[in-house]
């Protein structure tokens, strides 16, 4: 599971810069659902099948896409669906914006980019990845959306 105590990152990775994480949502973000989602993700309080199983709400703790044990880390980093989707979104964004942003795992997860590209492009990339993270989470937690996704792909 994700362990984000001060000075400690995910599975031995360097801890993300907390001040940057808490200030990551640009002031122009008007979508309350996206702001709420980002806040929950930053504070690691989003619910996955792992928690729903533990509370007796779901029959198992398996990922809807790949069948592995679900967790926050699995949902956004380890799941083959998430990995492929993230790669496609980053590739599309780079092609659309004529730039080359190659974010780290933490940058994708928390929306903080150390890239030296134009601030306008960084803001677009931030919103693109925020919507991407929300989509990944929403499709896993909404069985109707998951069924639709399964039919499309």
């Amino acid at each position: 599971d994700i362990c984000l105590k001060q000075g400690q990152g995910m599975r031995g990775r360097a801890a993300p810069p907390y001040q940057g994480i808490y200030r990551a949502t640009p002031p122009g973000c008007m979508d309350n659902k996206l702001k709420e989602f980002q806040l929950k993700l930053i504070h690691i309080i989003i619910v996955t099948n792992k928690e729903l199983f533990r509370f007796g709400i779901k029959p198992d703790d398996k990922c809807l896409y790949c069948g592995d044990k679900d967790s926050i880390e699995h949902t956004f980093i380890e799941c083959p669906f998430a990995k492929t989707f993230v790669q496609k979104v980053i590739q599309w964004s780079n092609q659309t914006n004529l730039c080359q942003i190659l974010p780290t795992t933490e940058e994708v997860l928390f929306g903080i980019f150390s890239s030296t590209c134009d601030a306008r492009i960084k803001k677009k990339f931030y919103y693109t990845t925020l919507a991407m993270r929300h989509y990944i989470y929403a499709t896993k937690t909404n069985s109707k959306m998951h069924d639709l996704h399964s039919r499309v792909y």
Side-chain angles (χ1 to χ4, degrees):
D1 286 0
I2 296 177
C3 182
L4 295 176
K5 294 180 181 171
Q6 190 65 28
Q8 204 174 5
M10 293 181 287
R11 293 195 178 176
R13 297 181 185 111
Y18 287 96
Q19 297 226 348
I21 289 173
Y22 296 123
R23 295 181 189 149
T25 305
C29 184
M30 300 301 282
D31 188 327
N32 286 332
K33 282 192 179 204
L34 289 179
K35 286 196 294 192
E36 176 185 0
F37 172 75
Q38 180 70 3
L39 183 68
K40 286 181 177 182
L41 181 60
I42 288 169
H43 291 285
I44 322 254
I45 56 173
I46 61 172
V47 178
T48 65
N49 283 342
K50 175 184 174 182
E51 291 80 24
L52 294 174
F53 174 67
R54 187 172 21 161
F55 297 130
I57 297 170
K58 290 275 188 171
D60 60 44
D61 63 351
K62 305 293 183 212
C63 171
L64 289 171
Y65 292 119
C66 67
D68 287 348
K69 284 189 168 238
D70 202 12
S71 66
I72 295 173
E73 189 172 41
H74 175 79
T75 296
F76 296 103
I77 299 171
E78 298 168 351
C79 180
F81 163 76
K83 284 181 180 180
T84 301
F85 187 65
V86 167
Q87 288 172 350
K88 288 181 179 184
V89 168
I90 291 170
Q91 181 181 22
W92 170 84
S93 180
N94 283 335
Q95 288 173 348
T96 301
N97 295 304
L98 301 173
C99 65
Q100 190 62 26
I101 298 176
L102 301 171
T104 65
T105 301
E106 285 81 9
E107 289 173 332
V108 169
L109 186 60
F110 295 110
I112 300 171
F113 304 104
S114 56
S115 173
T116 58
C117 67
D118 181 271
R120 183 181 53 81
I121 290 176
K122 282 174 84 169
K123 188 173 182 178
K124 281 177 156 179
F125 196 78
Y126 169 80
Y127 284 119
T128 300
T129 57
L130 175 57
M132 171 194 71
R133 290 186 299 273
H134 187 263
Y135 174 81
I136 290 169
Y137 181 70
T139 56
K140 285 185 79 169
T141 57
N142 184 337
S143 60
K144 289 179 186 173
M145 286 186 75
H146 177 264
D147 292 342
L148 174 64
H149 173 81
S150 297
R151 282 187 246 135
V152 172
Y153 291 97

